[in-house]
Amino acid sequence: MKTLLRILFLFLATLTVSCNSQKSTAEKNKVVYKSDDLVIIKLSENLYQHISFLNTDSFGRVECNGMIAKDGNETVVFDTPSDDKSSAELIAWIKNDLHAKINAVVPTHFHGDCLAGLKEFNKNNIPSYANNKTIELAKATGANVPNHGFDNKLALDVGSQKVYVTFFGEGHTKDNVVGYFPKEKAMFGGCLIKEVDATEGYLGDANVQAWSATVEKVKAQYPDVKTVIPGHGVIGGTELLDYTIKLFKNN
């Protein structure tokens, strides 16, 4: 009888820890802003995810992720929301609710889910930085063009910290880059990185043969990453990198 009671006690204790853990995660990942066009989720004191929506012919209404890295009263934004209206909402929220300045916006490739809202950032005199390949492709396709280019690597100041932007190779597109915020061990993978159980998605500008090797380089560069935000879908950890590698491994 004592053994049975002990087993029951341990089970209830484990259940309590699990519930508390789930509650802690829910509190940590808190929706701090929501409208029909934009959702902002607080992941930690210095890290936020923004979600906007893109209407597509092939995939319907698609959620598009971006990242806000913050230190002190400064931020860097990865990817614009999917249009000017939701970009205006994001800029206003950072200014009025975070009481922070946007030092830069970084579109991670040339598709509309990364830079369609760029005009609103330009209108607010916020500098935009992109891979020179992104600028070249944006010009060629008639998309919004970022106003500062870089080759392969870029470091940007945010408060007393830095964020890094790196081109590791082709995958979803020829120009896709990855953002990393060391203070939070947080990565914005953009559309190069897939959520777990995602399909291959849009491949019209992809290099599927190179994709896995590119993500393997990302994983090797950031072995201690804790938070990985994909271009679409649910955030996670290194399992997103592993899943993406496996998804394109045999192409």
Side-chain angles (χ1 to χ4, degrees), residues 61-222:
R61 191 170 191 249
V62 177
E63 292 187 359
C64 306
N65 294 329
M67 185 174 87
I68 305 165
K70 177 180 180 291
D71 187 66
N73 63 349
E74 295 179 0
T75 64
V76 170
V77 175
F78 286 90
D79 281 1
T80 78
S82 59
D83 55 35
D84 290 329
K85 184 176 184 296
S86 47
S87 292
E89 289 182 38
L90 178 64
I91 292 165
W93 182 83
I94 291 173
K95 179 182 177 181
N96 299 325
D97 289 69
L98 278 191
H99 305 290
K101 173 188 175 187
I102 304 174
N103 288 357
V105 60
V106 182
T108 54
H109 67 279
F110 76 99
H111 288 163
D113 51 358
C114 298
L115 48 64
L118 198 56
K119 288 179 183 177
E120 194 64 31
F121 286 83
N122 291 339
K123 183 177 161 183
N124 285 271
N125 299 312
I126 297 164
S128 53
Y129 296 83
N131 186 351
N132 279 319
K133 294 178 182 179
T134 300
I135 292 175
E136 180 184 325
L137 288 164
K139 288 178 178 177
T141 56
N144 293 327
V145 180
N147 47 37
H148 299 283
F150 65 91
D151 288 320
N152 298 323
K153 292 184 180 180
L154 175 70
L156 292 167
D157 292 324
V158 54
S160 62
Q161 305 293 314
K162 288 188 181 294
V163 292
Y164 297 93
V165 192
T166 307
F167 174 72
F168 287 94
E170 298 183 9
H172 176 67
T173 56
K174 294 179 179 179
D175 62 318
N176 45 213
V177 297
V178 169
Y180 192 69
F181 186 27
K183 179 175 183 177
E184 295 291 327
K185 294 183 178 179
M187 175 192 300
F188 182 65
C191 295
L192 178 67
I193 307 303
K194 296 289 186 178
E195 70 170 330
V196 173
D197 294 331
T199 63
E200 292 182 344
Y202 176 69
L203 301 177
D205 298 301
N207 183 340
V208 292
Q209 289 78 26
W211 203 319
S212 286
T214 297
V215 179
E216 284 172 350
K217 291 177 189 175
V218 175
K219 184 180 178 183
Q221 181 67 30
Y222 304 119

Side-chain angles (χ1 to χ4, degrees), residues 26 28-34 39-42:
K28 181 181 176 184
N29 296 350
K30 179 184 176 184
V31 174
V32 291
Y33 179 88
K34 187 174 183 179
V39 178
I40 302 172
I41 299 172
K42 182 177 182 178

Side-chain angles (χ1 to χ4, degrees), residues 236-250:
T238 54
E239 72 276 7
L240 275 69
L241 307 182
D242 293 333
Y243 177 77
T244 305
I245 291 167
K246 183 179 177 182
L247 183 63
F248 293 99
K249 194 72 172 177
N250 297 319

